[in-house]
Amino acid sequence: MPLPFPYCRRRATERPEEFCVKPLVHAVVGCGRVAPNHVDGFSALPDAELRWACDRDRARAEALAREYGLPHVTSDVRVVLADPLVDSVSIAVDHAQHYELAAAALRAGKHVLVEKPLAMTAEEGEALTALAERTGRVLSVVSQHRYDPVVAAVREWIADGLLGRLVSGTVSLQCGRDDGYYADSYWRGTFAGEGGSALVNQGYHALDVTRWLTGGLTVVGAAAGHTAPRGGMETEDTLAAVLRGPQGALVTYQVTVASSITWRTRIELVGTEGSVLFDLDHPGTLHVAEGGDALRAAARDVGAQVAPAPAGIGYYGISHRRQIADFAAAVRDGHPMTADGAAGLGTLRLLREMYRAARSEGAAPGGSTAAPGPRVAATAAAATAPGG
């Protein structure tokens, strides 16, 4: 249970018993591709203050701070964690540093919002969730699409029985990443820095949402391909799997980063009483809802719940704002988050099992225990890196 968030007494008023909520003071660690979404989300809160931009590349941190008005910049994460005014941090760095930086932040008494995945291994993820519990701090893994209006609606329909018993599902993501995306990065496309590629990075959210909607998934089989590698990547560019839900539903899952299409997701769930087809793009769209009258009426009510895309990359969507609002509220009142550390740990365990199945199948070019590629540099304890 998170510790109570402090309140502050208002300046002299006629009613001295009035109190105000202390602003949540936040720092962004890692100023790469997704950092603007974190800045946007905290900027949208009425009672939050952005204080630090931190990145191993100080120029990158300065650019983010200059564009969005953050008052302090550093390339040393230890400076951020030593700041007593900082209540919480976003960690948006290379996957290999998630565990070390999240653990350091929790030990420093900070609440942590970490980009996916929670860590590189399930053991690291378990250690982080246990540490958050011991320190009484909120730990949340970015799973913003759980907060998409369409996804939330589908989850409610499943809970209300409008789809009946789930029997099958089809999940796909095709996206394109060019040579520069990998060649210009010291960590992307490497086992040591990324822990995989197509599944753990681009395909994570489609897997996470499907696991959440179905109530959990186990691995029947998987295969990974190094079919059209970009920019010297040593990790998989394509992965396919067959998964099973808790009531026996079979789900096929496929992801590739070798498409000519920049980004397109599709999730189809088929039940005995109804079927839905939707995406996680921006705006998230419900394409099909077929079934009984109650399902059709509920689908009409979803409507076009669309907000303009925030600053940053458009297909990241708008729901960082919703998750960040949930994070800030959890810091204040201790309620369980939709995307807490335990949720991130569950998805981490599933994707690591998918990688193990793919290695057993023999199609994968390697695994998370492979030696670091030549582009992975040693990182000092104070270093941070842009996320991606």
Side-chain angles (χ1 to χ4, degrees):
M1 170 84 55
L3 298 176
F5 195 73
Y7 288 77
C8 59
R9 187 176 293 278
R10 294 187 187 276
R11 291 192 295 268
T13 66
E14 294 180 358
R15 292 181 294 174
E17 72 278 7
E18 290 185 7
F19 285 81
C20 64
V21 176
K22 172 190 175 296
L24 178 70
V25 179
H26 192 74
V28 177
V29 179
C31 299
R33 289 165 61 90
V34 76
N37 297 78
H38 287 254
V39 172
D40 174 82
F42 283 95
S43 297
L45 298 177
D47 50 4
E49 173 188 325
L50 284 157
R51 182 169 172 83
W52 285 98
C54 175
D55 196 281
R56 60 185 291 146
D57 180 349
R58 186 181 175 91
R60 189 188 296 267
E62 289 173 343
L64 186 79
R66 184 167 52 251
E67 183 170 359
Y68 296 104
L70 278 69
H72 300 286
V73 171
T74 184
S75 59
D76 188 342
V77 71
R78 294 170 296 190
V79 175
V80 174
L81 299 184
D83 185 344
L85 296 180
V86 171
D87 300 303
S88 59
V89 298
S90 288
I91 296 175
V93 303
D94 62 86
H95 299 175
Q97 291 192 82
H98 285 191
Y99 170 73
E100 179 182 351
L101 291 178
L106 290 168
R107 293 190 190 103
K110 315 303 183 187
H111 303 277
V112 174
L113 177 62
V114 59
E115 274 292 332
K116 49 76 179 168
L118 174 59
M120 291 280 273
T121 68
E123 292 76 16
E124 289 179 343
E126 290 162 2
L128 285 177
T129 55
L131 180 57
E133 182 68 24
R134 289 198 305 272
T135 57
R137 292 296 181 266
V138 173
L139 172 64
S140 177
V141 182
V142 172
S143 304
Q144 77 270 21
H145 292 294
R146 290 189 178 208
Y147 296 84
D148 288 0
V150 169
V151 173
V154 171
R155 181 171 166 85
E156 182 177 342
W157 300 340
I158 292 171
D160 290 345
L162 301 188
L163 271 65
R165 182 189 179 108
L166 293 181
V167 294
S168 70
T170 304
V171 182
S172 67
L173 165 64
Q174 56 172 309
C175 65
R177 293 292 181 267
D178 59 18
D179 287 339
Y181 178 82
Y182 297 101
D184 296 343
S185 169
Y186 72 91
W187 65 278
R188 294 192 192 99
T190 70
F191 289 112
E194 196 173 19
S197 281
L199 171 60
V200 71
N201 196 333
Q202 286 74 26
Y204 180 97
H205 291 303
L207 180 68
D208 177 74
V209 163
T210 305
R211 188 182 77 84
W212 189 50
L213 293 178
T214 58
L217 292 167
T218 57
V219 181
V220 177
H226 195 241
T227 52
R230 308 295 209 255
M233 64 188 300
E234 62 191 27
T235 46
E236 88 285 351
D237 59 38
T238 304
L239 186 142
V242 176
L243 310 170
R244 192 188 301 275
Q247 294 185 316
L250 287 175
V251 176
T252 59
Y253 171 95
Q254 57 184 352
V255 57
T256 185
V257 297
S259 174
S260 61
I261 294 173
T262 300
W263 190 268
R264 184 167 70 198
T265 60
R266 292 293 185 270
I267 298 177
E268 183 174 26
L269 297 176
V270 178
T272 55
E273 303 295 330
S275 301
V276 293
L277 173 65
F278 61 97
D279 66 49
L280 304 182
D281 307 334
H282 183 77
T285 301
L286 177 66
H287 298 277
V288 175
E290 296 181 340
D293 291 342
L295 177 58
R296 293 177 184 276
R300 287 194 295 270
D301 290 342
V302 170
Q305 301 180 42
V306 177
I313 296 172
Y315 55 73
Y316 287 168
I318 197 71
S319 291
H320 273 84
R321 292 177 183 171
R322 298 186 180 99
Q323 179 167 353
I324 286 168
D326 191 22
F327 174 80
V331 168
R332 297 194 185 285
D333 63 24
H335 77 266
M337 288 187 63
T338 296
D340 60 9
L345 176 57
T347 300
L348 175 61
R349 285 172 172 156
L350 175 60
L351 69 86
R352 294 320 311 175
E353 182 58 33
M354 291 167 70
Y355 277 127
R356 280 192 289 272
R359 290 199 299 274
S360 297
E361 190 274 339
S368 62
T369 58
R375 291 186 286 115
V376 178
T379 57
T384 61

